[in-house]
Amino acid sequence: MSEAEAPKKRFIAGAVCPACSAQDTIRMWSLDDVPHRECVACGYADTLNAQGQSVPKELTTRVNASALKKPADPKVQPVQFFPNPKLKKPDGQA
């Protein structure tokens, strides 16, 4: 995209950032008739739907974050504890 094709970003007067609550730091622009907004103070960004509501991004879960996991540390080893037979309670006590 060249400079002439870049969308014009406008600051929205009185708008409050939903993440950091800073006022007058939200700027908006449209790409292919889809409105986007971002906060210049904290970096929060989202996309709006036709009703002007924020379109939530997919939350990170164990299922979709598996690619983000780091490989196991080779220095870490499992530890197994064995019960001490000398500390066994006498029969009849729970």
Side-chain angles (χ1 to χ4, degrees):
M1 216 182 225
S2 67
E3 289 282 331
E5 297 174 11
K8 184 176 181 180
K9 298 180 180 182
R10 303 175 313 271
F11 280 95
I12 307 302
V16 177
C17 175
C20 69
S21 300
Q23 188 172 4
D24 295 334
T25 59
I26 299 289
R27 62 182 179 175
M28 292 188 72
W29 70 96
S30 291
L31 285 176
D32 299 325
D33 295 327
V34 177
H36 300 276
R37 66 180 176 177
E38 74 176 349
C39 176
V40 295
C42 70
Y44 172 81
D46 66 352
T47 303
L48 304 176
N49 62 13
Q51 291 79 27
Q53 301 296 320
S54 177
V55 177
K57 295 180 180 175
E58 184 177 12
L59 297 175
T60 304
T61 64
R62 290 178 287 152
V63 176
N64 64 11
S66 61
L68 302 176
K69 287 185 180 177
K70 296 179 182 177
D73 186 2
K75 297 177 187 174
V76 177
Q77 296 179 354
V79 177
Q80 185 175 5
F81 291 97
F82 295 99
N84 187 344
K86 294 179 183 176
L87 297 176
K88 195 171 193 178
K89 294 183 180 180
D91 292 336
Q93 290 186 359

